[in-house]
Amino acid sequence: MKDLLKGIIDKNIEVTEKGKVADYIPALAKANPRDLGACIIDMDGNIYTAGEYRKRFTIQSISKTIALMLAIMDNGEEEVFKKVGMEPTGDAFNSIYKLEVEEIAKPLNPMINAGAIAVTSLIKGRDSKEKIDRLLSLFRKISCNDNIVINEEVYLSEKETGNRNRAMGYLLKDMGIVDGNVEEALDVYFKQCSIEMDCIDIANMGLFLANDGTIPKTGEVVVDEHISRIIKTYMVTCGMYNSSGEFAIKVGIPAKSGVGGGILASVPHRMGIGIYGPALDKRGNSVAGLRVLQSLSKQLDLSIF
Ligand code: GLN
């Protein structure tokens, strides 16, 4: 397995040349576009790594999966799905225009920015500090790493430049989707996107989801199997933004990407996978990361379909 993973990483390093590092959040532009790394952790706890798997990167949109999990744990499904829908969009992750379509009247799903901001505003806590602390604790638990922190530079960079997200936050407030303080919700959102992890941490999260919400190492049940299934289903239908359909056909694994270059993938009852490759395609997915997952899926027969 280790050789197989190394072979796939080595073969796909040249694919990184086809993509570009995100620079709309200025601090992200510092990443090395040629980096590519991966980690697989199977149900027995075997860890396989290759390439730049130790590099830390901000998880960005990958955080939307676990923020949704906490919002459902805090409020129940019914309350959460009053504020956010269950349908893929076919639009870019930061698109705003469907919020103005009257029949829809709420963000289409929690994996696009508008839906994620709405979901994050539902996380319970006295203030933004308590909310992000609760979310960070959950991330630490399911990635089996107590040392996970927020990258302050990336957080401040997005807070300063995140005008589109800020616009969406205020529109959502006007629509009655965000109830509390908008700046507070945005602050938690920018911070959750700036949580820093490596491929091992991401693979552990994927394994936790693959194991239906129970941490395999400790046997701790963190979340109901049903909620874990909701998260994985969203990963299939909306996890790769407006490439989710193509990804489902070519790879067939629940996965969530982020503009920091990470991809979280979870193969039910088999393994968690963490990928890092900051050179992105036009839709914001790691260009080489997609190819790595495609090869892995083919060679290990991972598609769930
Ligand atoms: N923080 C990023 C944003 O809001 C997350 C987007 C992403 O990873 N696609 O734009």
Side-chain angles (χ1 to χ4, degrees), residues 24-25 59-62 64 93-94 113 158 165 189-190 193 241 256-260 284:
Y24 76 99
I25 299 171
I59 62 173
Q60 300 296 333
S61 280
I62 294 172
K64 293 167 179 171
F93 65 84
N94 57 0
N113 289 10
E158 183 168 6
N165 287 328
Y189 174 75
F190 294 145
C193 288
Y241 317 124
K256 180 77 204 85
S257 64
V259 292

Side-chain angles (χ1 to χ4, degrees), residues 22 30 61 71 136 166-167 233:
K30 292 184 181 170
S61 280
L136 197 54
R166 195 161 277 113
T233 308

Side-chain angles (χ1 to χ4, degrees), residues 83-302:
K83 309 278 190 189
V84 68
M86 299 185 184
E87 302 304 333
T89 64
D91 303 322
F93 65 84
N94 57 0
S95 176
I96 203 163
Y97 84 102
K98 281 203 180 123
L99 290 177
E100 274 278 85
V101 178
E102 221 169 306
E103 312 83 76
I104 303 178
K106 60 184 179 188
L108 276 165
N109 69 69
M111 301 294 126
I112 52 171
N113 289 10
I117 293 165
V119 162
T120 291
S121 76
L122 293 169
I123 291 172
K124 299 236 192 282
R126 270 185 314 260
D127 49 25
S128 65
K129 183 176 176 332
E130 189 173 301
K131 290 177 190 180
I132 191 67
D133 284 350
R134 291 186 63 239
L135 190 53
L136 197 54
S137 304
L138 186 55
F139 273 108
R140 286 178 177 149
K141 184 181 282 185
I142 64 177
S143 63
C144 306
N145 184 352
D146 285 338
N147 299 317
I148 280 163
V149 290
I150 290 165
N151 179 321
E152 276 296 308
E153 187 192 352
V154 174
Y155 156 64
L156 291 173
S157 180
E158 183 168 6
K159 194 179 169 82
E160 201 179 310
T161 57
N163 294 313
R164 179 175 273 264
N165 287 328
R166 195 161 277 113
M168 276 189 260
Y170 282 97
L171 185 53
L172 291 168
K173 173 84 183 175
D174 182 69
M175 292 163 68
I177 299 286
V178 168
D179 285 330
N181 182 296
V182 182
E183 287 301 331
E184 195 173 291
L186 287 165
D187 198 55
V188 180
Y189 174 75
F190 294 145
K191 281 187 173 145
Q192 74 181 50
C193 288
S194 304
I195 292 173
E196 223 176 23
M197 291 192 170
D198 65 17
C199 290
I200 299 179
D201 303 325
I202 300 277
N204 267 315
M205 291 208 296
L207 186 66
F208 154 78
L209 289 169
N211 197 35
D212 301 326
T214 295
I215 298 171
K217 225 186 260 178
T218 59
E220 185 184 352
V221 181
V222 178
V223 67
D224 207 75
E225 182 178 344
H226 174 68
I227 297 179
S228 160
R229 195 177 305 150
I230 293 175
I231 309 302
K232 278 180 285 190
T233 308
Y234 271 122
M235 287 163 74
V236 169
T237 56
C238 316
M240 307 303 282
Y241 317 124
N242 38 343
S243 292
S244 298
E246 185 180 340
F247 187 82
I249 290 172
K250 291 188 174 163
V251 184
I253 304 173
K256 180 77 204 85
S257 64
V259 292
I263 305 178
L264 157 73
S266 176
V267 187
H269 308 130
R270 286 185 68 180
M271 62 181 70
I273 306 173
I275 308 269
Y276 174 57
L280 308 178
D281 65 14
K282 287 202 172 66
R283 291 175 168 177
N285 294 313
S286 170
V287 66
L290 290 176
R291 296 281 278 275
V292 169
L293 281 172
Q294 202 175 332
S295 298
L296 277 174
S297 175
K298 210 168 178 184
Q299 298 192 39
L300 299 173
D301 192 21
L302 300 180

